[in-house]
Amino acid sequence: MKVLISGGGTGGHIFPALSIADAIKRRDPDADILFVGAENRMEMERVPAAGYEIIGLPVSGFDRKRLWRNIAVLFKLWKSIRIARRVVREFQPDIAIGVGGYASGPTLKAAQRAGVPTLLQEQNSYAGVTNKLLAPHAAAICVAYPGMERFFPADKIVMTGNPVRKSLFDCKLTQAEAKKSLGFEADKPLVVFVGGSLGARTLNQTVIDAMADGRAALAPFNVLWQTGKRDHVRCVEEADKYALPNIKCTEFISDMAEAYRAADLVVARAGAGTISELELLGKPSILVPSPNVAEDHQRHNAEALVSRGAAGMVLDKDAEKDLWSQAAVVVENPETLRLLSENISKLALPDADTKIVDEIYKIVRETHRG
């Protein structure tokens, strides 16, 4: 089978794409898989590192603030459509899969025009523009939230959940052992602040403010603080200034399975991938939706959990005054932690990658039979 997978731009799109590719390879080691991504985006490094070939398109997002810049954007789109058509013509895929992101629009549209069946994977509770435009001609749309018929034809929706990294389930330590391994006391609550690979300035500022005004020094809990790449130097300088034994600052957490196992509470952005991980691991969390995403989809993701008593939420604009105090209240209340864990676990949809691959094979069989 020849499979074209397109999308990316962020880890939230790339990790599901790679999980789907890996699941196809587990079922059929001879499957020929080709990725199409956006030039100069992280998929151009991550996909080859995972062992797959990728072709880059010059496509980029529209600039909503400086409209005059979109002349160049439209030229890049025209160029990307031409490249995508050539890729589809030369590769001749049996199916094309779109996971969202800049590159998936031209690629999936080219596949649909060539009569190649397409499958969309929508990670968020609020559908992205690209997937909404592609949906009418897709064979199936795999989703992770109920109520997605607001955006897509109901007869095409398949509830699969979002694929997550298999490595997250590799930790064999108890929570106490994981805390010790990370250098914390086993009997003290641990809050993990994690802002993704690039980091989240709001989360970082929350910890810095708590150190500056003395709340962190008085806190009866420990903090594992993942700063991300962009803000790391500033965060380290602040951490060194106060040198608090209950706060450990790191640019990147290499073993997220261990960090999740150790955590009593996770404070994070509300990306779809992060939420799926928290659901499958049953982790209590406070979500701080990023305001800098299309259609404010992270807030919709977080609200889908909050409405079910499965997570706490602090809006980005309120984080400076509310986030640390809310985290302190939650992590010091075992009953609240138990309820959050119980409720978020109910939302978990395991084996999403396998379910998506089942759907892929079903579509290809029906197409060839037709």
Side-chain angles (χ1 to χ4, degrees):
M1 189 166 70
K2 300 182 86 170
V3 183
L4 195 63
I5 302 178
S6 185
T10 67
H13 292 310
I14 297 162
F15 291 131
L18 289 172
S19 294
I20 293 166
D22 290 345
I24 293 169
K25 280 290 192 182
R26 284 197 299 275
R27 192 168 302 191
D28 177 10
D30 295 326
D32 190 0
I33 299 173
L34 175 65
F35 280 78
V36 178
E39 286 176 357
N40 304 317
R41 304 292 288 191
M42 63 192 290
E43 58 263 32
M44 301 308 292
E45 292 179 13
R46 295 289 176 89
V47 170
Y52 296 102
E53 184 186 349
I54 186 167
I55 292 170
L57 304 182
V59 67
S60 62
F62 281 92
D63 193 325
R64 291 179 172 88
K65 292 178 182 174
R66 292 160 293 192
L67 295 176
W68 57 271
R69 290 196 171 186
N70 291 321
I71 296 168
V73 172
L74 288 169
F75 176 70
K76 288 178 180 178
L77 178 61
W78 173 80
K79 203 171 170 186
S80 297
I81 290 168
R82 287 172 61 94
I83 296 169
R85 285 177 182 167
R86 190 181 74 235
V87 168
V88 170
R89 188 170 61 247
E90 292 177 358
F91 185 62
Q92 295 192 322
D94 294 293
I95 189 167
I97 300 158
V99 296
Y102 301 141
S104 65
T107 308
L108 272 285
K109 181 54 74 175
Q112 290 176 345
R113 287 188 59 165
V116 175
T118 57
L119 177 143
L120 306 179
Q121 202 259 322
E122 175 56 62
Q123 296 99 25
N124 295 294
S125 64
Y126 196 90
V129 172
T130 302
N131 278 350
K132 283 192 280 190
L133 291 171
L134 293 167
H137 300 291
I141 303 150
C142 297
V143 303
Y145 291 89
M148 297 303 285
E149 58 277 1
R150 290 178 297 155
F151 310 107
F152 303 129
D155 60 333
K156 296 185 178 187
I157 293 172
V158 186
M159 180 72 89
T160 59
N162 287 322
V164 302
R165 295 168 282 181
K166 294 290 186 196
S167 60
L168 290 176
F169 306 97
D170 289 346
C171 184
K172 305 297 184 232
L173 303 176
T174 64
Q175 186 177 40
E177 289 168 343
K179 285 179 181 178
K180 283 182 182 175
S181 175
L182 291 166
F184 296 108
E185 300 101 317
D187 57 351
K188 215 171 182 181
L190 175 64
V191 181
V192 175
F193 280 77
V194 57
S197 56
L198 292 175
R201 188 172 283 271
T202 299
L203 303 192
N204 291 339
Q205 195 59 48
T206 296
V207 181
I208 289 169
D209 289 347
M211 291 191 297
D213 64 21
R215 287 175 297 162
L218 298 171
F221 53 85
N222 291 317
V223 172
L224 177 58
W225 174 23
Q226 186 250 323
T227 67
K229 191 175 183 178
R230 283 186 297 217
D231 216 13
H232 184 60
V233 173
R234 180 176 76 101
C235 294
V236 168
E237 287 172 356
E238 293 294 327
D240 288 347
K241 190 195 302 183
Y242 299 102
L244 298 179
N246 62 328
I247 294 186
K248 291 191 188 302
C249 173
T250 179
E251 177 184 335
F252 182 73
I253 296 173
S254 57
D255 189 344
M256 274 307 299
E258 184 179 67
Y260 275 138
R261 179 60 57 85
D264 292 278
L265 177 69
V266 177
V267 179
R269 288 302 199 189
T274 298
I275 287 177
S276 295
E277 292 171 1
L278 295 169
E279 288 172 346
L280 288 162
L281 296 167
K283 280 293 157 184
S285 63
I286 295 175
L287 301 171
V288 186
S290 170
N292 308 311
V293 294
E295 288 90 37
D296 201 18
H297 68 253
Q298 287 202 7
R299 183 173 61 83
H300 293 287
N301 291 348
E303 286 173 346
L305 269 67
V306 173
S307 65
R308 294 167 174 82
M313 178 176 75
V314 174
L315 294 179
D316 194 84
K317 65 183 176 65
D318 300 325
E320 201 171 311
K321 60 181 172 58
D322 294 341
L323 182 55
W324 183 272
S325 56
Q326 187 165 322
V329 168
V330 172
V331 80
E332 292 171 50
N333 189 322
E335 181 60 13
T336 301
L337 291 173
R338 186 189 67 77
L339 281 171
L340 287 172
S341 177
E342 200 175 278
N343 291 338
I344 200 169
S345 295
K346 290 174 187 172
L347 303 177
L349 294 168
D351 304 317
D353 54 355
T354 302
K355 292 172 187 169
I356 291 168
V357 172
D358 287 343
E359 200 61 32
I360 290 166
Y361 274 83
K362 180 179 154 193
I363 291 166
V364 172
R365 278 197 303 271
E366 288 173 356
T367 303
H368 284 299
R369 197 180 297 136

